Amino acid sequence: MRNWRIYYLFLKQILYLVIKVNVFIAVFTFLSILLANLVNKPPKQETAELSVHLPLTVSTVPPPVVPVQTPIASSVPKPLNSQTSPPRPDWAIAKSLPNPSRQRGKDNLEITYNLKKPPSFRQSQDLQTIVNDIVQLTTVHNLPKEHLSITLIDANTGETAGYQQDIPRYPASVVKMFWMVILYSQIKSGIWTDEKDFAPYIAKMIQESDNEAASYILDQITGTHSEPVLSSQEFNIWKTQRQYVNRFFEKAGYKGINIAQKTFPVYYLNLPEPDGSEAQFLEDNPVRNWNKITTKQAARLLYEICYTKQAVSAKVSEKMCDWLKRDLNPEFWQNEPSYRDGFNPVSTFLGESLPHTQVKFYSKAGWASYARGEAAMVDNQKIGTKYILTILTQNSAYADDSDILPEISLLVYKRMTQRCSRSKSIKLVRKNYHLGVRVGCRVWNVGDNEELRISPLLYTLSPIPLPFSKAARSEDEKH
């Protein structure tokens, strides 16, 4: 019995050891399998695991790209700011105005101004005398002439004169004329689906000089909009896109132009002054980086829009010139509701002093706390006087003087009409591919089967129709 008891205890101890070893082996095996699974987890699962722990600040929007001069294929991520349309002004939303949209595949198409070379003007001592008298008039008003720039062009003769006309100055709302040209260039190039979508915004930007409409148009043509402060990389992309408006004109000879800044305040964006990306754009030097153009550049553009009618195209130039046309009848501009409640483009500017019954007037004016300026074309069709006058000033003394521009305008108008009255020259001329004869300042078109007889007493042209021919028409009868 005692031996069996010994055997029993011995077997029991053996079984205990076997069970203990098996448990150890089982646990070791389980841990080995688990470790192997963790080490050899498939890449797909790893990606899913990592995406769960992405920080909230990481964006899933494709990174923006710098615009190029050819359309970007739809498979390539679009710039950050073209993912959504820019905010619209409250009045546009209230009126349910359409939201313009780009044609597919043309999100980042860059085009440039069609007229690559400036017109060839001749310097005129006669016109320079008029310009010098303008400068003298400002000194009578005790205004600093170093902050004044002038360009005067006789559109009939192609003569010009100026004063400090190559100095870049802040243009205030005159810049909106440049933005209009870029927009119409994009429309003509097929970038936008419907030109009519922009009509209400152009009307307010040009006719009322509305900053909110201008802000919206600038956002649309550049594919940007006013953002909070951006990171360095995002801001460089944003800045490149916004500066497209400069490249548009620089490649056509408008050297050193800067028209990439919005005009403030822009209240629908809660921007009484530059903030966020707009403030970054000034780079802590608002004097240097604000919009800057020269009077020569503004005069050239208006000349190409309303005189030669070659800006973008003849048809487009007609449209743009119509937007720039001002009604000089005091009964209109003194009582127009949009003028009374906002910016009046006639009162205190070049058109105020001109005879409204004799003159057709096209202009874009600008006014800020330290600037007053205007680019204008004056057309007296009865006499034949037609000239471009551009004035930019950059000093609060000019901004506060409500009489200086009307006085300058009247001075120039009298001198330019006298210039036409004195002129008795008779020249064969060519304008817009049409042959004509100029007597003094008036141009008469000559077509096929037409004869012109010149009156030696009046120095005017008297068209005498021959049998089976048409009477020649004067230029003012055409328009």
Side-chain angles (χ1 to χ4, degrees):
M1 289 292 294
R2 187 176 180 180
N3 291 337
W4 281 104
R5 183 175 180 80
I6 292 172
Y7 291 147
Y8 170 76
L9 293 174
F10 178 77
L11 290 173
K12 185 178 179 180
Q13 190 69 23
I14 293 296
L15 289 172
Y16 174 79
L17 292 173
V18 169
I19 293 172
K20 195 171 182 180
V21 169
N22 286 338
V23 170
F24 177 81
I25 293 173
V27 171
F28 179 82
T29 303
F30 174 79
L31 292 175
S32 299
I33 294 172
L34 180 61
L35 182 61
N37 287 335
L38 290 175
V39 173
N40 299 314
K41 182 177 288 188
K44 185 176 182 180
Q45 294 180 2
E46 181 180 357
T47 303
E49 184 74 16
L50 289 174
S51 66
V52 174
H53 296 91
L54 281 174
L56 294 178
T57 57
V58 176
S59 173
T60 58
V61 179
V65 294
V66 179
V68 294
Q69 293 191 19
T70 54
I72 294 180
S74 58
S75 60
V76 178
K78 298 178 181 179
L80 183 64
N81 292 316
S82 67
Q83 298 292 321
T84 58
S85 297
R88 288 187 296 163
D90 296 338
W91 49 264
I93 297 173
K95 294 180 179 179
S96 300
L97 296 182
N99 201 359
S101 59
R102 289 179 179 248
Q103 296 279 12
R104 293 188 62 182
K106 295 189 176 183
D107 292 313
N108 301 304
L109 178 63
E110 281 202 5
I111 56 176
T112 57
Y113 189 44
N114 62 302
L115 301 176
K116 305 304 180 187
K117 294 182 179 180
S120 178
F121 296 120
R122 301 186 311 277
Q123 294 296 315
S124 165
Q125 186 56 49
D126 189 23
L127 294 184
Q128 191 61 53
T129 301
I130 299 175
V131 170
N132 294 342
D133 289 344
I134 296 174
V135 178
Q136 181 61 34
L137 178 61
T138 63
T139 60
V140 172
H141 280 250
N142 295 317
L143 297 171
K145 61 183 181 181
E146 62 269 20
H147 298 295
L148 169 70
S149 290
I150 307 166
T151 295
L152 177 62
I153 300 171
D154 186 328
N156 289 322
T157 65
E159 294 174 298
T160 188
Y163 176 74
Q164 300 188 134
Q165 57 181 334
D166 291 312
I167 295 179
R169 299 198 186 277
Y170 180 65
S173 290
V174 176
V175 72
K176 294 166 185 174
M177 177 175 66
F178 289 77
W179 295 339
M180 175 179 67
V181 172
I182 298 173
L183 174 60
Y184 269 109
S185 295
Q186 290 185 343
I187 292 171
K188 186 177 183 298
S189 298
I191 291 176
W192 298 98
T193 56
D194 196 340
E195 175 184 340
K196 295 178 181 178
D197 292 345
F198 281 106
Y201 301 99
I202 299 173
K204 288 188 73 70
M205 180 178 75
I206 298 299
Q207 296 180 339
E208 301 176 27
S209 203
D210 185 82
N211 284 348
E212 295 189 342
S215 167
Y216 184 73
I217 286 177
L218 182 60
D219 286 346
Q220 290 284 19
I221 61 180
T222 61
T224 65
H225 51 268
S226 301
E227 307 257 19
V229 174
L230 300 170
S231 68
S232 178
Q233 181 180 3
E234 290 174 327
F235 175 69
N236 286 335
I237 296 168
W238 185 93
K239 181 170 69 171
T240 298
Q241 290 180 236
R242 178 66 74 80
Q243 288 177 332
Y244 158 64
V245 291
N246 295 340
R247 296 191 294 274
F248 178 90
F249 283 105
E250 283 173 343
K251 295 179 180 179
Y254 288 74
K255 296 181 180 179
I257 192 171
N258 181 21
I259 55 173
Q261 295 283 352
K262 290 187 175 182
T263 51
F264 293 89
V266 185
Y267 289 120
Y268 81 101
L269 297 177
N270 195 27
L271 290 174
E273 59 185 20
D275 196 11
S277 59
E278 303 293 345
Q280 280 180 281
F281 203 17
L282 295 176
E283 297 177 351
D284 299 324
N285 194 337
V287 174
R288 186 187 66 196
N289 293 324
W290 272 114
N291 292 333
K292 293 287 179 67
I293 65 172
T294 68
T295 54
K296 185 182 289 185
Q297 291 169 343
R300 171 191 167 180
L301 187 62
L302 185 56
Y303 178 85
E304 292 167 338
I305 294 172
C306 288
Y307 184 72
T308 66
K309 295 185 176 5
Q310 295 175 325
V312 186
S313 71
K315 184 177 180 181
V316 170
S317 286
E318 289 280 359
K319 292 179 182 179
M320 293 191 293
C321 199
D322 283 343
W323 287 120
L324 295 167
K325 189 174 182 179
R326 308 297 181 201
D327 189 340
L328 299 186
N329 189 336
E331 293 184 1
F332 174 78
W333 61 261
Q334 290 178 358
N335 300 297
E336 168 62 22
S338 63
Y339 291 177
R340 288 201 312 267
D341 300 334
F343 180 81
N344 191 320
V346 179
S347 177
T348 76
F349 290 100
L350 297 175
E352 179 184 313
S353 57
L354 299 180
H356 70 275
T357 58
Q358 302 177 29
V359 168
K360 287 187 176 181
F361 187 73
Y362 311 85
S363 81
K364 185 68 198 78
W367 182 32
S369 59
Y370 60 94
R372 183 186 290 272
E374 187 168 8
M377 186 175 84
V378 179
D379 183 5
N380 184 321
Q381 295 186 334
K382 183 177 180 180
I383 300 175
T385 306
K386 188 175 293 187
Y387 61 89
I388 308 284
L389 175 62
T390 300
I391 295 179
L392 293 177
T393 66
Q394 196 165 314
N395 187 282
S396 59
Y398 285 96
D400 297 337
D401 193 325
S402 59
D403 297 325
I404 187 61
L405 289 192
E407 288 188 26
I408 289 174
S409 183
L410 185 58
L411 181 154
V412 175
Y413 178 75
K414 288 180 177 179
R415 298 286 290 277
M416 292 298 290
T417 52
Q418 291 170 3
R419 174 180 161 90
C420 278
S421 299
R422 292 195 312 265
S423 176
K424 295 179 174 58
S425 63
I426 301 174
K427 295 181 180 179
L428 190 66
V429 297
R430 179 182 296 274
K431 179 194 170 187
N432 296 345
Y433 309 106
H434 295 290
L435 187 65
V437 176
R438 176 186 294 118
V439 177
C441 289
R442 299 191 69 183
V443 177
W444 295 73
N445 293 334
V446 182
D448 295 335
N449 301 319
E450 294 175 346
E451 278 194 6
L452 298 173
R453 181 174 297 167
I454 301 174
S455 169
L457 296 178
L458 300 178
Y459 288 93
T460 58
L461 288 181
S462 174
I464 305 298
L466 297 178
F468 311 108
S469 70
K470 299 179 295 180
R473 295 178 301 162
S474 68
E475 188 178 45
D476 36 36
E477 291 172 333
K478 284 201 307 174
H479 298 291

